[in-house]
Amino acid sequence: MLQAPTRAHSRVLGLGAYRPDVIVTNDDVCQWIESSDEWIRQRTGIVTRHRAKADVSVIDMAEGAAREALQKAGIEASQLGAVIVSTISHPYATPSAAAALADRLGATPAPAFDISAACAGYCYGIAQADALVRSGTADYVLVVGAEKLSDVIDNTERTISFLLGDGAGAAVVGPSDVPGISPSVWGSDGSKWDVISMTHSLNEVREISLAAEAAGSLAAAAADLGEDGHKLWPTLRQDGPSVFRWAVWEMAKTAKRALDAAGVQPEDLAAFVPHQANMRIIDEMVKQLKLPESVAVARDIADAGNTSAASIPLATHRLLQENPQLSGGLALQIGFGAGLVFGAQVIVLP
């Protein structure tokens, strides 16, 4: 029996981004919830967020980001050994967004699959790409975080809807002569499974639809369950205070473990790219990690909002655009979110 020859190292070779055209301000959001621009800025650091038009899909955004990443990496889609898409907002349970994306790019017959790890999904994808490249299973792997979260929110609720935006970020991972991706520190805590979750399961939606068919009225079936008809579609909710405490205290520990796994100190970093969940969480993590002022901190959330799986690649892309001198430096990236799940690693910036 033969096994694939292994490689010692891998690295991120190129990044791409897609930001939708529609910009939603805090004042726009306050049409739907009782709040204010000042309150949202103070509590979250968000000023605007991007939202995709109705005719723009998760796959459309993923394609835009992927094509730039491929171009930056200097490879053709036909050279990809795998395509990984992290998303929680692709509207089909199957087939995967990754398979459709691979076809659009011309990567067929590369294996393609989606992962559902919410805001940690991009870091999960990088961990898998690193393993695929170093094991010799693939020469190059495309990792995409793509979200159309505007499809899975109820604009009138105020636990999470005002935080979220749409977009996609992509990375190409390939072989390297020197270490470019540290061991990943990742995991989950399913005991907090319901802290960030959907209002209904698809089974519940089906039951409601069948009841409506029997009753002859969706509104009547919804009323029987104490619901408004227009709120039957599953949308996101969160227990904000619980998520905040977990992110601030537990994720700083995870970030420190990732630094230890990489064998680097905070002062060795050129950049810190945390999941863009809340500016206050980012600021607290910077304090707990004791990052020196020389470390560039990604704060894409101010303009992009929380884009779940897309947030880290989008934030990294912007950081490099605005600070090209960071290229070749070390960046600590950490994602955390619904599950609850988390993942972190140190990478060499492309």
Side-chain angles (χ1 to χ4, degrees), residues 59-314:
I59 298 170
D60 292 332
M61 293 188 287
E63 180 183 3
R67 291 194 181 279
E68 183 186 358
L70 288 166
Q71 185 271 322
K72 292 279 183 63
I75 72 163
E76 301 294 328
S78 59
Q79 295 175 262
L80 291 172
V83 175
I84 302 172
V85 174
S86 177
T87 182
I88 60 167
S89 50
H90 180 50
Y92 296 92
T94 191
S96 69
L101 175 62
D103 177 63
R104 285 197 190 184
L105 295 173
T108 304
F113 57 95
D114 292 355
I115 56 177
S116 176
C119 308
Y122 175 75
C123 290
Y124 272 40
I126 293 297
Q128 292 180 57
D130 167 53
L132 289 170
V133 170
R134 290 194 298 109
S135 69
T137 304
D139 289 332
Y140 301 99
V141 178
L142 175 67
V143 178
V144 184
E147 301 288 11
K148 192 175 182 183
L149 297 173
S150 55
D151 279 350
V152 291
I153 59 172
D154 170 5
N155 284 322
T156 64
E157 73 84 36
R158 56 178 300 141
T159 68
I160 199 170
S161 64
F162 66 96
L163 297 169
L164 304 179
D166 301 337
V172 173
V173 175
S176 174
D177 293 331
V178 296
I181 299 174
S182 75
S184 294
V185 174
W186 53 343
S188 66
D189 180 3
S191 69
K192 297 180 176 63
W193 186 87
D194 59 349
V195 171
I196 309 172
S197 60
M198 306 297 285
T199 51
H200 300 291
S201 71
L202 293 181
N203 284 341
E204 289 170 328
V205 172
R206 180 174 61 182
E207 291 171 6
I208 293 167
S209 298
L210 291 173
E213 187 176 319
S217 167
L218 178 62
D224 287 343
L225 295 171
E227 293 280 0
D228 295 327
H230 74 283
K231 291 186 177 180
L232 294 180
W233 176 248
T235 55
L236 284 166
R237 296 288 189 279
Q238 74 168 350
D239 177 350
S242 295
V243 173
F244 186 90
R245 288 191 297 271
W246 175 76
V248 165
W249 301 113
E250 296 303 321
M251 290 307 95
K253 298 175 187 175
T254 298
K256 290 175 183 176
R257 288 171 53 208
L259 288 175
D260 290 342
V264 302
Q265 299 298 317
E267 56 269 24
D268 297 324
L269 296 174
F272 176 48
V273 189
H275 166 49
Q276 304 293 292
N278 183 305
M279 196 74 81
R280 292 161 63 206
I281 293 174
I282 295 172
D283 291 341
E284 186 59 36
M285 290 181 73
V286 168
K287 289 180 184 177
Q288 291 196 41
L289 291 171
K290 296 181 172 60
L291 296 182
E293 292 185 4
S294 59
V295 177
V297 179
R299 300 182 187 279
D300 194 45
I301 188 171
D303 299 321
N306 177 345
T307 55
S308 189
S311 83
I312 289 175
L314 281 174

